[in-house]
Amino acid sequence: MSEVGYRWSMTAVGEPLVRSEFNPFPPAAGEVVVEVAGCGVCHTDLGYYYDGVRFNHPAPLALGHEISGRVVAAGAGAEEWQGKAVLIPAVIPCGTCDLCLSGHGTICRQQLMPGNDIQGGFASHIKVPARGLCPVDEKKLTAAGFELADISVVADAVTTPYQAVVQAEVAKGDLAIVIGIGGVGSYAVQVANAFGATVIAIDVDQAKLDNMAKYGAALTINSREVQGKDLKKAIQAFVKEKGLPATCWKIFECSGTTPGQDTAFGLLTFGATLSVVGFTMNKIELRLSNLMAFHARALGNWGCLTELYPAALDLVLDKRIALAPFIEKHPLDQINEVFAEAHAHKLTRRAILVPKK
């Protein structure tokens, strides 16, 4: 086994990511070393790199938290993971604190997020705690026509909206509205649809909207063309036509933009649930009393509980949600070019960076 790995690290905001070698071995007790198969490029990574969003590990830091790979070394107490294909959770809880034991692992104060609290997945290898790892059934993976690198995005782009849908208690017969159908929102549409909801997709990109009509969106609305009160009226008309609930809508803000958040809050109705899934540093002005008047609720959503990962992965491997049309793989050594293209919105699919073997 080679003791030389490499990673691409951020040294300062906007400065080119730099490749360097490191020794990922040996793992400590309770840890594993994973040979990275693929690591997805997330909006959060771009926030760290371009916008100066604070991360917790001192630079230089390898970003990347959507990671799939194979365990190539296991420390004491983690031997059962040796050789296994795995997904690494985007948020790794400690598993023993009061928050973890009460079902609030995503806000564990000792949590470790790759590419934030520890070195991330834009690397050949990553060393992480074994707790929370999600095993990958390689027979099902092959039967579904995927390589291990393909499912890296499940670690955040799929599991994050999966938890949001679970948390919002989406059920058959509900109306779900997804605002922003990019890397996370496209899966929010599919997950909500898989849970039995009728889904409305809202975005400013008509090509994305046309595509989502094939993957679970019963209605698509271009918010460049229909806005404000007209947007809500269009949804109400659709609801009436289809005999859907006029109240208790499940609204998912996935765009991480000021207009998207304005739109989401403006769609509140009686008993609605607003799930804030996307992130932006920008502020918006709103009338918080709308929550009171509508007896609505607003929920945050940070990552996904590790115990929900297997069910989310099953949705992908069982082809209940589509993955392949929304991803594209690139060599990890092209990371600077891929970041630039993603930041410039030139990519039409979520990029997965694949290390050279």
Coordinates of all heavy atoms in Angstrom, one line a residue, residues 91-176:
V91 N -21.9 15.4 7.4 CA -21.8 15.9 8.8 C -21.7 14.6 9.6 O -22.6 13.8 9.7 CB -23.0 16.7 9.2 CG1 -22.9 17.1 10.7 CG2 -23.1 17.9 8.4
I92 N -20.5 14.5 10.3 CA -20.3 13.3 11.1 C -20.4 13.6 12.6 O -19.6 14.3 13.2 CB -18.8 12.7 10.9 CG1 -18.6 12.5 9.4 CG2 -18.6 11.4 11.6 CD1 -17.1 12.3 9.0
P93 N -21.5 13.1 13.2 CA -21.7 13.4 14.6 C -20.9 12.6 15.6 O -20.4 11.5 15.1 CB -23.2 13.2 14.8 CG -23.5 12.0 13.8 CD -22.6 12.3 12.7
C94 N -20.8 13.0 16.8 CA -20.0 12.2 17.8 C -20.6 10.9 18.2 O -20.0 9.9 18.5 CB -19.6 13.0 19.0 SG -20.9 13.2 20.2
G95 N -22.0 10.9 18.2 CA -22.7 9.7 18.5 C -23.0 9.5 20.0 O -23.7 8.5 20.3
T96 N -22.4 10.3 20.8 CA -22.5 10.0 22.3 C -23.1 11.1 23.1 O -23.4 10.9 24.3 CB -21.1 9.6 22.8 OG1 -20.2 10.7 22.6 CG2 -20.6 8.3 22.2
C97 N -23.1 12.3 22.6 CA -23.6 13.5 23.4 C -25.1 13.5 23.5 O -25.8 12.7 22.8 CB -23.1 14.8 22.7 SG -23.9 15.2 21.2
D98 N -25.6 14.4 24.3 CA -27.1 14.5 24.5 C -27.8 14.8 23.2 O -28.9 14.2 23.0 CB -27.4 15.5 25.6 CG -27.0 15.1 27.0 OD1 -26.7 13.9 27.2 OD2 -26.9 16.0 27.9
L99 N -27.3 15.6 22.4 CA -27.9 16.0 21.1 C -28.0 14.7 20.2 O -29.1 14.4 19.6 CB -27.2 17.1 20.4 CG -27.4 18.5 21.0 CD1 -26.4 19.5 20.4 CD2 -28.8 19.0 20.7
C100 N -26.9 14.0 20.1 CA -26.9 12.8 19.3 C -27.9 11.8 19.8 O -28.7 11.1 19.0 CB -25.5 12.2 19.2 SG -24.3 13.1 18.2
L101 N -27.9 11.6 21.1 CA -28.7 10.5 21.7 C -30.2 10.9 21.7 O -31.1 10.0 21.8 CB -28.3 10.3 23.1 CG -26.9 9.7 23.3 CD1 -26.5 9.5 24.8 CD2 -26.8 8.3 22.6
S102 N -30.5 12.2 21.5 CA -31.9 12.6 21.4 C -32.4 12.8 19.9 O -33.4 13.5 19.7 CB -32.1 13.9 22.2 OG -31.3 15.0 21.7
G103 N -31.6 12.3 19.0 CA -32.0 12.4 17.6 C -31.6 13.7 16.9 O -32.2 14.0 15.8
H104 N -30.7 14.5 17.4 CA -30.3 15.8 16.9 C -28.8 15.8 16.4 O -28.1 16.7 16.6 CB -30.6 16.9 17.9 CG -32.0 17.1 18.2 ND1 -32.6 16.4 19.3 CD2 -33.0 17.8 17.7 CE1 -33.9 16.7 19.4 NE2 -34.1 17.6 18.4
G105 N -28.4 14.7 15.8 CA -27.0 14.5 15.5 C -26.5 15.5 14.5 O -25.3 15.8 14.5
T106 N -27.3 16.1 13.7 CA -26.8 17.1 12.7 C -26.3 18.4 13.4 O -25.6 19.2 12.8 CB -27.8 17.4 11.6 OG1 -29.0 18.0 12.3 CG2 -28.2 16.2 10.8
I107 N -26.8 18.6 14.6 CA -26.3 19.8 15.3 C -25.4 19.4 16.5 O -25.2 20.2 17.4 CB -27.4 20.7 15.8 CG1 -28.5 19.9 16.6 CG2 -28.1 21.4 14.6 CD1 -29.5 20.9 17.3
C108 N -24.9 18.2 16.5 CA -23.9 17.8 17.5 C -22.7 18.8 17.5 O -22.2 19.2 16.5 CB -23.3 16.4 17.1 SG -21.8 15.9 18.0
R109 N -22.4 19.3 18.7 CA -21.4 20.3 18.9 C -20.0 19.8 18.7 O -19.0 20.5 18.6 CB -21.5 21.0 20.2 CG -22.8 21.8 20.5 CD -23.0 22.9 19.4 NE -23.5 22.4 18.1 CZ -23.2 23.0 17.0 NH1 -22.5 24.1 16.9 NH2 -23.7 22.5 15.8
Q110 N -19.8 18.5 18.6 CA -18.5 17.9 18.3 C -18.5 17.3 16.9 O -17.6 16.5 16.6 CB -18.2 16.7 19.3 CG -17.8 17.2 20.7 CD -19.0 17.6 21.5 OE1 -20.0 16.9 21.6 NE2 -19.0 18.8 22.1
Q111 N -19.4 17.7 16.1 CA -19.5 17.1 14.7 C -18.3 17.5 13.9 O -17.6 18.5 14.1 CB -20.8 17.7 14.0 CG -20.7 19.1 13.7 CD -21.9 19.7 12.9 OE1 -21.7 20.2 11.9 NE2 -23.1 19.5 13.5
L112 N -18.0 16.6 12.9 CA -16.9 16.9 12.0 C -17.4 16.9 10.6 O -18.1 15.9 10.2 CB -15.8 15.8 12.2 CG -15.1 15.7 13.5 CD1 -14.2 14.5 13.5 CD2 -14.4 16.9 13.8
M113 N -17.2 17.9 9.9 CA -17.6 18.0 8.5 C -16.4 18.0 7.6 O -15.5 18.9 7.7 CB -18.4 19.3 8.2 CG -18.8 19.6 6.8 SD -19.7 21.1 6.6 CE -20.0 21.1 4.8
P114 N -16.2 17.0 6.7 CA -15.1 17.1 5.8 C -15.1 18.4 5.0 O -16.1 18.8 4.6 CB -15.3 15.8 4.9 CG -16.1 14.9 5.8 CD -17.0 15.8 6.6
G115 N -13.9 18.9 4.8 CA -13.8 20.1 4.0 C -14.2 21.4 4.8 O -14.5 22.4 4.2
N116 N -14.3 21.2 6.1 CA -14.7 22.3 7.0 C -14.0 22.2 8.3 O -13.1 23.0 8.7 CB -16.2 22.4 7.2 CG -16.7 23.5 8.1 OD1 -15.9 24.3 8.7 ND2 -18.0 23.6 8.3
D117 N -14.3 21.1 9.1 CA -13.7 20.8 10.4 C -12.4 20.0 10.2 O -11.5 20.1 11.0 CB -14.7 20.1 11.3 CG -15.9 20.9 11.5 OD1 -15.9 22.0 12.1 OD2 -17.0 20.4 11.1
I118 N -12.4 19.2 9.2 CA -11.2 18.3 8.9 C -11.0 18.4 7.4 O -11.8 18.9 6.6 CB -11.5 16.9 9.3 CG1 -12.7 16.3 8.6 CG2 -11.7 16.7 10.8 CD1 -13.0 14.8 8.8
Q119 N -9.8 17.8 7.0 CA -9.5 17.8 5.6 C -10.6 17.1 4.8 O -11.1 16.1 5.2 CB -8.1 17.1 5.3 CG -6.9 17.9 6.0 CD -6.6 19.2 5.2 OE1 -7.1 19.4 4.1 NE2 -5.8 20.0 5.9
G120 N -10.9 17.6 3.6 CA -12.0 17.1 2.8 C -11.7 16.1 1.7 O -10.5 15.6 1.6
G121 N -12.6 15.9 0.8 CA -12.6 14.8 -0.2 C -12.0 15.2 -1.5 O -12.0 14.3 -2.4
F122 N -11.5 16.4 -1.7 CA -10.8 16.7 -3.0 C -9.4 16.2 -2.9 O -8.5 17.0 -2.8 CB -10.9 18.2 -3.4 CG -12.3 18.6 -3.6 CD1 -12.8 19.8 -3.1 CD2 -13.2 17.9 -4.4 CE1 -14.1 20.2 -3.3 CE2 -14.5 18.3 -4.6 CZ -15.0 19.4 -4.1
A123 N -9.3 14.9 -2.8 CA -8.0 14.2 -2.5 C -8.1 12.8 -2.9 O -9.1 12.3 -3.3 CB -7.8 14.3 -1.0
S124 N -6.9 12.1 -2.9 CA -6.9 10.7 -3.2 C -7.4 9.9 -2.1 O -7.9 8.8 -2.2 CB -5.4 10.3 -3.6 OG -4.6 10.5 -2.4
H125 N -7.2 10.4 -0.8 CA -7.6 9.7 0.4 C -8.1 10.6 1.4 O -7.7 11.8 1.4 CB -6.4 8.9 1.0 CG -5.8 7.9 0.1 ND1 -4.9 8.2 -0.9 CD2 -5.9 6.5 0.2 CE1 -4.5 7.1 -1.5 NE2 -5.1 6.0 -0.9
I126 N -8.9 10.1 2.3 CA -9.3 10.9 3.5 C -9.4 10.1 4.7 O -9.8 8.9 4.6 CB -10.7 11.6 3.2 CG1 -11.2 12.5 4.3 CG2 -11.7 10.6 2.8 CD1 -12.4 13.3 4.0
K127 N -9.0 10.6 5.8 CA -9.1 9.9 7.1 C -10.2 10.4 7.9 O -10.3 11.7 8.2 CB -7.8 10.0 7.9 CG -7.7 9.2 9.1 CD -6.3 9.0 9.6 CE -5.4 10.2 9.6 NZ -4.0 9.9 10.1
V128 N -11.2 9.6 8.3 CA -12.4 10.0 9.0 C -12.7 9.0 10.1 O -12.3 7.9 10.1 CB -13.6 10.1 8.0 CG1 -13.4 11.2 7.0 CG2 -13.9 8.8 7.4
P129 N -13.6 9.5 11.1 CA -14.1 8.5 12.0 C -15.0 7.5 11.3 O -15.6 7.8 10.3 CB -14.9 9.4 13.0 CG -14.4 10.8 12.8 CD -14.0 10.8 11.3
A130 N -15.0 6.3 11.8 CA -15.8 5.2 11.2 C -17.2 5.4 11.5 O -18.1 4.8 10.8 CB -15.3 3.8 11.7
R131 N -17.6 6.1 12.6 CA -18.9 6.2 13.0 C -19.8 6.9 11.9 O -19.3 7.9 11.4 CB -19.1 7.0 14.4 CG -18.5 8.4 14.3 CD -18.7 9.1 15.6 NE -18.1 10.4 15.6 CZ -16.9 10.8 15.9 NH1 -16.1 9.8 16.3 NH2 -16.5 12.0 15.8
G132 N -20.9 6.4 11.7 CA -21.8 7.0 10.7 C -21.6 6.6 9.3 O -22.4 7.0 8.4
L133 N -20.5 5.9 9.0 CA -20.3 5.5 7.6 C -21.5 4.8 7.0 O -22.2 4.0 7.7 CB -19.1 4.6 7.4 CG -17.7 5.3 7.6 CD1 -16.6 4.2 7.6 CD2 -17.4 6.4 6.6
C134 N -21.9 5.0 5.8 CA -23.0 4.3 5.1 C -22.4 3.3 4.2 O -21.7 3.6 3.2 CB -23.8 5.3 4.4 SG -25.2 4.6 3.4
P135 N -22.7 2.0 4.4 CA -22.2 1.0 3.5 C -22.9 1.0 2.2 O -24.1 1.3 2.1 CB -22.4 -0.4 4.3 CG -23.6 0.0 5.2 CD -23.4 1.4 5.6
V136 N -22.2 0.6 1.1 CA -22.8 0.6 -0.2 C -22.8 -0.8 -0.7 O -21.8 -1.5 -0.7 CB -21.9 1.4 -1.2 CG1 -22.5 1.3 -2.6 CG2 -21.8 2.9 -0.8
D137 N -24.0 -1.3 -1.0 CA -24.2 -2.6 -1.6 C -23.7 -2.6 -3.0 O -24.4 -2.1 -3.9 CB -25.7 -3.0 -1.5 CG -26.0 -4.4 -1.9 OD1 -25.2 -4.9 -2.8 OD2 -26.9 -5.0 -1.4
E138 N -22.5 -3.2 -3.2 CA -21.9 -3.1 -4.6 C -22.7 -3.9 -5.6 O -22.6 -3.6 -6.8 CB -20.4 -3.5 -4.5 CG -19.6 -2.5 -3.6 CD -18.2 -2.7 -3.7 OE1 -17.6 -2.3 -4.7 OE2 -17.6 -3.3 -2.8
K139 N -23.4 -5.0 -5.2 CA -24.2 -5.7 -6.2 C -25.3 -4.8 -6.7 O -25.6 -4.8 -7.9 CB -24.7 -7.0 -5.5 CG -23.6 -8.1 -5.3 CD -24.3 -9.3 -4.8 CE -23.2 -10.4 -4.5 NZ -23.8 -11.7 -4.0
K140 N -26.0 -4.1 -5.8 CA -27.1 -3.2 -6.2 C -26.5 -2.1 -7.0 O -27.1 -1.6 -7.9 CB -27.8 -2.7 -4.9 CG -28.7 -3.7 -4.2 CD -29.5 -3.1 -3.1 CE -30.6 -2.2 -3.6 NZ -31.4 -1.7 -2.5
L141 N -25.3 -1.6 -6.6 CA -24.7 -0.5 -7.3 C -24.4 -0.9 -8.8 O -24.8 -0.1 -9.7 CB -23.3 -0.2 -6.6 CG -22.6 1.0 -7.2 CD1 -23.2 2.3 -6.8 CD2 -21.1 1.0 -6.7
T142 N -23.9 -2.1 -9.0 CA -23.6 -2.5 -10.3 C -24.9 -2.8 -11.1 O -25.0 -2.4 -12.3 CB -22.8 -3.8 -10.3 OG1 -21.5 -3.6 -9.6 CG2 -22.4 -4.3 -11.7
A143 N -25.9 -3.4 -10.4 CA -27.1 -3.7 -11.1 C -27.8 -2.4 -11.5 O -28.5 -2.4 -12.5 CB -28.0 -4.5 -10.1
A144 N -27.6 -1.3 -10.8 CA -28.2 0.0 -11.1 C -27.4 0.7 -12.2 O -27.9 1.8 -12.7 CB -28.3 0.9 -9.9
G145 N -26.3 0.2 -12.6 CA -25.5 0.8 -13.6 C -24.6 1.9 -13.2 O -24.2 2.7 -14.0
F146 N -24.2 1.9 -11.9 CA -23.4 3.0 -11.4 C -22.0 2.5 -11.0 O -21.8 1.4 -10.7 CB -24.0 3.6 -10.1 CG -25.3 4.3 -10.3 CD1 -26.4 3.9 -9.6 CD2 -25.4 5.4 -11.2 CE1 -27.7 4.6 -9.7 CE2 -26.6 6.0 -11.4 CZ -27.7 5.7 -10.6
E147 N -21.1 3.5 -11.1 CA -19.8 3.3 -10.5 C -19.8 3.9 -9.1 O -20.7 4.8 -8.8 CB -18.7 4.0 -11.3 CG -18.5 3.4 -12.7 CD -17.5 4.1 -13.6 OE1 -17.1 5.2 -13.2 OE2 -17.1 3.5 -14.6
L148 N -18.8 3.6 -8.3 CA -18.8 4.1 -6.9 C -18.7 5.6 -6.9 O -19.3 6.3 -6.0 CB -17.7 3.4 -6.1 CG -17.6 3.7 -4.6 CD1 -18.9 3.4 -3.9 CD2 -16.4 3.0 -4.0
A149 N -18.0 6.2 -7.8 CA -17.8 7.6 -7.8 C -19.1 8.3 -8.1 O -19.4 9.4 -7.6 CB -16.8 8.0 -8.9
D150 N -20.0 7.7 -8.9 CA -21.3 8.3 -9.3 C -22.1 8.7 -8.1 O -22.8 9.7 -8.1 CB -22.1 7.4 -10.2 CG -21.4 7.1 -11.5 OD1 -20.7 8.0 -12.0 OD2 -21.6 6.0 -12.0
I151 N -22.1 7.9 -7.0 CA -23.0 8.1 -5.9 C -22.5 9.0 -4.8 O -23.1 9.2 -3.8 CB -23.5 6.8 -5.3 CG1 -22.3 6.0 -4.7 CG2 -24.2 5.9 -6.3 CD1 -22.7 4.9 -3.8
S152 N -21.3 9.6 -5.1 CA -20.7 10.5 -4.1 C -21.7 11.7 -3.7 O -21.8 12.1 -2.6 CB -19.4 11.1 -4.6 OG -19.6 11.9 -5.8
V153 N -22.5 12.1 -4.7 CA -23.4 13.3 -4.4 C -24.5 12.9 -3.5 O -25.2 13.8 -3.0 CB -23.9 13.9 -5.8 CG1 -22.8 14.4 -6.6 CG2 -24.7 12.8 -6.5
V154 N -24.7 11.6 -3.3 CA -25.8 11.2 -2.4 C -25.4 11.7 -1.0 O -26.3 12.0 -0.2 CB -25.9 9.6 -2.4 CG1 -26.9 9.2 -1.3 CG2 -26.4 9.1 -3.8
A155 N -24.1 11.9 -0.7 CA -23.7 12.2 0.6 C -24.2 13.6 1.0 O -24.1 14.0 2.2 CB -22.2 12.2 0.7
D156 N -24.6 14.4 0.1 CA -25.2 15.8 0.5 C -26.3 16.1 -0.4 O -27.4 16.4 0.0 CB -24.1 16.8 0.4 CG -24.5 18.2 0.9 OD1 -25.6 18.3 1.6 OD2 -23.8 19.2 0.7
A157 N -26.1 16.2 -1.7 CA -27.1 16.7 -2.7 C -28.4 15.9 -2.6 O -29.5 16.4 -2.9 CB -26.6 16.7 -4.1
V158 N -28.3 14.6 -2.3 CA -29.5 13.7 -2.1 C -30.0 13.7 -0.7 O -31.1 13.8 -0.4 CB -29.3 12.3 -2.7 CG1 -30.5 11.4 -2.4 CG2 -29.0 12.4 -4.2
T159 N -29.0 13.4 0.2 CA -29.4 13.2 1.6 C -29.9 14.5 2.3 O -30.8 14.4 3.2 CB -28.3 12.6 2.5 OG1 -27.1 13.4 2.3 CG2 -28.0 11.2 2.1
T160 N -29.4 15.6 1.9 CA -29.9 16.9 2.6 C -31.4 17.1 2.2 O -32.2 17.3 3.2 CB -29.0 18.1 2.2 OG1 -27.7 17.9 2.7 CG2 -29.6 19.4 2.6
P161 N -31.8 17.1 1.0 CA -33.2 17.2 0.7 C -34.0 16.1 1.2 O -35.2 16.2 1.6 CB -33.3 17.4 -0.8 CG -32.1 16.8 -1.3 CD -31.0 17.1 -0.3
Y162 N -33.4 14.9 1.3 CA -34.1 13.7 1.9 C -34.5 14.0 3.3 O -35.7 13.8 3.7 CB -33.3 12.5 1.8 CG -34.0 11.2 2.3 CD1 -34.7 10.4 1.5 CD2 -33.9 10.9 3.6 CE1 -35.4 9.3 1.9 CE2 -34.5 9.7 4.1 CZ -35.3 9.0 3.3 OH -35.9 7.8 3.7
Q163 N -33.5 14.5 4.1 CA -33.9 14.8 5.5 C -34.9 16.0 5.6 O -35.8 15.9 6.4 CB -32.6 15.3 6.3 CG -33.0 15.7 7.7 CD -31.8 16.0 8.6 OE1 -31.4 15.1 9.3 NE2 -31.2 17.2 8.5
A164 N -34.8 17.0 4.7 CA -35.8 18.1 4.7 C -37.2 17.5 4.4 O -38.1 18.0 5.1 CB -35.4 19.1 3.6
V165 N -37.3 16.6 3.5 CA -38.6 16.0 3.2 C -39.1 15.2 4.4 O -40.3 15.3 4.7 CB -38.5 15.2 1.9 CG1 -39.8 14.3 1.7 CG2 -38.3 16.1 0.7
V166 N -38.3 14.4 5.0 CA -38.7 13.7 6.2 C -39.1 14.6 7.3 O -40.1 14.4 8.0 CB -37.5 12.7 6.7 CG1 -37.8 12.1 8.0 CG2 -37.3 11.7 5.6
Q167 N -38.3 15.6 7.5 CA -38.5 16.6 8.6 C -39.8 17.4 8.4 O -40.5 17.7 9.4 CB -37.3 17.6 8.7 CG -37.4 18.6 9.8 CD -36.1 19.4 9.9 OE1 -35.3 19.2 10.8 NE2 -35.9 20.3 8.9
A168 N -40.1 17.7 7.2 CA -41.4 18.4 6.9 C -42.6 17.5 6.9 O -43.7 18.0 6.7 CB -41.2 19.1 5.5
E169 N -42.3 16.2 7.1 CA -43.4 15.2 7.2 C -44.2 15.2 5.9 O -45.5 15.1 5.9 CB -44.3 15.5 8.4 CG -43.6 15.5 9.7 CD -44.4 16.0 10.9 OE1 -45.3 16.9 10.7 OE2 -44.1 15.5 12.0
V170 N -43.6 15.2 4.8 CA -44.2 15.0 3.5 C -44.9 13.7 3.4 O -44.2 12.6 3.7 CB -43.2 15.3 2.3 CG1 -43.9 14.9 1.0 CG2 -42.7 16.7 2.3
A171 N -46.1 13.6 2.9 CA -46.8 12.4 2.8 C -47.6 12.4 1.5 O -47.8 13.4 0.8 CB -47.8 12.2 4.0
K172 N -48.1 11.2 1.2 CA -48.9 11.1 0.0 C -50.1 12.0 0.0 O -50.8 12.2 1.0 CB -49.5 9.6 -0.1 CG -50.2 9.3 -1.4 CD -50.6 7.9 -1.5 CE -51.2 7.6 -2.9 NZ -51.6 6.1 -3.0
G173 N -50.3 12.7 -1.1 CA -51.4 13.7 -1.2 C -51.0 15.1 -0.9 O -51.8 16.0 -1.2
D174 N -49.8 15.3 -0.4 CA -49.4 16.7 -0.1 C -49.0 17.4 -1.3 O -48.7 16.8 -2.4 CB -48.1 16.6 0.8 CG -48.4 16.4 2.3 OD1 -49.6 16.4 2.6 OD2 -47.5 16.1 3.0
L175 N -49.0 18.8 -1.2 CA -48.4 19.6 -2.2 C -47.1 20.1 -1.8 O -46.9 20.7 -0.7 CB -49.3 20.8 -2.5 CG -48.7 21.8 -3.6 CD1 -48.8 21.2 -5.0 CD2 -49.4 23.2 -3.5
A176 N -46.0 19.8 -2.6 CA -44.7 20.3 -2.3 C -44.2 21.2 -3.3 O -44.5 21.0 -4.5 CB -43.7 19.1 -2.2

